[in-house]
Amino acid sequence: APITKFDATETGVTNAGEVKDFDTTLRVGKKAAKRMDLFSQYAVDSALQAVKQAQITSENTASKDLGVIFSSGIGGLTTIQEQVIKMHEKGPKRVSPMFVPTSIVNMAAGNIALRIGAKNICTSIVTACASGTNAIGEAYRQIKEGRAKVMVAGGAEASVNEIGIAGFAALTALSTQTDPQRASIPFDKDRSGFVMGEGSGALVLESLEHAKARGAKILGEVVGYGSNCDAFHMTAPDPTGEGAATAMQLALAEAKIEPAQVDYINAHGTATKANDAAEAKAINLVFGEDSKVL
């Protein structure tokens, strides 16, 4: 939908995926919200919803067995923007003492851990658009290797602001399409870039033994994870698709499943010319050009 948080006219970008009507007092509490950037507020809200749905409590889960890996590609960008402007206009002594604790990326995980009493690993992974997915994969590894029994994992972003939109627009990565229905069209021949979104998603991962012991409703299973780097370019993917193909093959190998057993891929799908072409080649390399995978 059209950007409403600020006047984006000069950026040339019209649309974004804004979170609407987010009541900070209701979601995270008025006092707590003052000590968090918006990305952390989103993170805490989604994590608390996930923990509630999973029915994780101090009675059924020991704090030492509960960890958090929660990521963000860019962290507290709104806070950074506001405080740099304040420093520029009013001098360094007017910078908030909460500037660093609210803007650093790992504060999403930290604030979640404080809320739920998680005393196992508490960290953040920053890998741009892959941050949330890597958080889930590494949380899975923590449980698989016996280092934790329950993990809260996910990602949060709140970069629909002047510097966020301007920065990605300068990269020519954002769609300048004015029609919201044609702005995000990955793998389409008329694609022109991605739409900046904000928000948060959280999952509760748990060992099978722990889940069974407390009578949990199991919604799904993580069976494999692959992560690598194509070491090709700062922003562009390897046009052959080899890097992304290898990551998928690593996940399949750990899961001990064949490509034909996969029904659905959650693609990166940035709707940029380079990414979609390379990603399509990677999918074809792994699953075949005639596969039925969605």
Side-chain angles (χ1 to χ4, degrees), residues 57-257:
T57 67
S58 57
E59 284 74 32
N60 62 36
T61 304
S63 59
K64 65 180 178 60
D65 295 326
L66 176 61
V68 181
I69 300 182
F70 221 88
S71 296
S72 179
I74 207 160
L77 197 59
T78 300
T79 297
I80 294 170
Q81 175 179 281
E82 290 172 350
Q83 293 302 311
V84 169
I85 290 171
K86 182 179 284 188
M87 183 183 71
H88 178 72
E89 293 180 345
K90 299 181 179 181
K93 292 188 181 298
R94 296 299 298 274
V95 172
S96 170
M98 292 300 296
F99 168 51
V100 173
T102 54
S103 63
I104 54 179
V105 176
N106 66 303
M107 284 314 295
N111 280 304
I112 292 167
L114 286 169
R115 284 295 186 98
I116 65 174
K119 295 184 178 180
N120 200 284
I121 187 172
C122 176
T123 192
S124 178
I125 294 170
V126 183
T127 47
C129 304
S131 300
T133 304
N134 281 140
I136 295 168
E138 296 301 328
Y140 156 71
R141 287 277 167 79
Q142 290 290 325
I143 294 172
K144 183 178 180 181
E145 294 170 8
R147 297 174 183 169
K149 293 180 180 178
V150 180
M151 293 291 300
V152 177
E157 216 71 68
S159 49
V160 181
N161 52 35
E162 289 92 330
I163 192 64
I165 297 296
F168 279 96
L171 275 176
T172 65
L174 296 182
S175 172
T176 55
Q177 172 64 250
T178 57
D179 180 2
Q181 299 303 314
R182 296 292 294 168
S184 179
I185 49 173
F187 303 105
D188 189 286
K189 66 181 179 65
D190 295 324
R191 65 191 185 275
S192 59
F194 74 90
V195 173
M196 179 74 80
E198 63 175 359
S200 180
L203 292 176
V204 172
L205 281 70
E206 187 173 7
S207 72
L208 181 60
E209 295 75 19
H210 192 274
K212 284 182 173 180
R214 68 179 189 88
K217 180 180 180 182
I218 299 171
L219 302 178
E221 183 182 9
V222 180
V223 293
Y225 168 56
S227 182
N228 67 335
C229 172
D230 62 18
F232 178 76
H233 183 269
M234 184 181 289
T235 56
D238 183 339
T240 68
E242 181 184 353
T246 299
M248 289 186 279
Q249 288 163 344
L250 288 169
L252 289 168
E254 182 173 33
K256 295 182 174 59
I257 61 174

Side-chain angles (χ1 to χ4, degrees), residues 45-56 152 202-204:
D45 185 42
S46 68
L48 292 178
Q49 288 185 51
V51 169
K52 182 179 179 181
Q53 183 187 28
Q55 298 182 329
I56 295 294
V152 177
L203 292 176
V204 172

